[in-house]
Amino acid sequence: MRAPPSVPPASVIICTRNRPRLLRETIASMLEGSLPPEEVVVVDQSATQDAGVTDLAAGRQTAIRYVHAEPAGLGRARNVGVAAAQHDVLVFADDDMRAEGAWLEELLSALVASGPRAVVTGSVPAGVPERRGGYTPSARAATQPEVFRGRIWSDMLAGGNMALYRADLAAVGGFDDRLGAGARFPAADDNDLGFRLLEQGYDIVYVPGAVLEHRA
């Protein structure tokens, strides 16, 4: 299924490091959704390359592009993914997610409906622990839609489940290479981006129907 006329084509960017099984299962869940991605860009910072992940697209209309990038750092990897992406709508997901059926369709429809100067973020519920001691490091599963503007005092943008236009990301300077897992400051790349978007007058739109389960 291709994007309906009201929904623009999008590039889904997934950054990964040393989690090949989880990555493949994340992509597989997206390919089975009501609106499979036009393109998936995998930015891999693993010690061992896994270019064979592109085989998941065999027989499908989705294009999977693989980029191996060094050094490590989630903010840096996301910027690499943006540079490699073919489309002007950018969707970000993590490599330990499980997409519910209408995830991408809900996310992109909300982005279009929100108009200019908006970034859309979806629900990230915690998954059931898959092994003894398993846990989800971050989750957000509010059931009501909400729009955030201006100076707020909590982090509302989930970097592992969000969509925005390439031009808007560029307007605020992209991701900070110094931030994110594996970087010098190993957190908050999405929190920093959300703060800069809000400071420059953008809306953060929360869409509970765009669900990516964060696996435990």
Side-chain angles (χ1 to χ4, degrees), residues 49-214:
Q49 296 190 34
D50 184 24
V53 71
T54 59
D55 293 343
L56 292 172
R60 298 178 180 271
Q61 292 181 303
T62 298
I64 299 180
R65 307 185 67 207
Y66 177 85
V67 181
H68 190 260
E70 295 178 339
L74 184 53
R76 179 189 301 275
R78 284 178 167 156
N79 285 331
V80 169
V82 170
Q86 298 294 300
H87 298 297
D88 288 328
V89 174
L90 306 173
V91 177
F92 294 88
D94 287 340
D95 64 355
D96 56 350
M97 301 294 205
R98 183 178 287 115
E100 291 200 358
W103 160 68
L104 187 58
E105 192 169 3
E106 291 274 351
L107 201 68
L108 296 181
S109 296
L111 183 65
V112 172
S114 298
R117 300 184 65 79
V119 54
V120 174
T121 189
S123 176
V124 186
V128 175
E130 299 177 23
R131 64 182 182 182
R132 185 178 180 85
Y135 70 97
T136 300
S138 62
R140 174 177 168 77
T143 59
Q144 297 299 315
E146 197 165 357
V147 178
F148 301 93
R149 297 186 177 98
R151 186 68 62 86
I152 60 177
W153 300 102
S154 56
D155 299 321
M156 305 312 303
L157 184 61
N161 188 5
M162 67 178 184
L164 75 170
Y165 294 100
R166 181 190 298 271
D168 292 332
L169 181 61
V172 298
F175 291 91
D176 191 327
D177 285 353
R178 301 169 298 175
L179 303 180
R184 179 184 178 189
F185 302 103
D189 59 298
D190 49 355
N191 306 150
D192 169 71
L193 177 65
F195 175 78
R196 285 185 281 123
L197 285 163
L198 289 169
E199 288 290 283
Q200 294 196 33
Y202 289 84
D203 291 346
I204 294 178
V205 180
Y206 173 70
V207 184
V211 181
L212 280 180
E213 180 187 85
H214 198 171

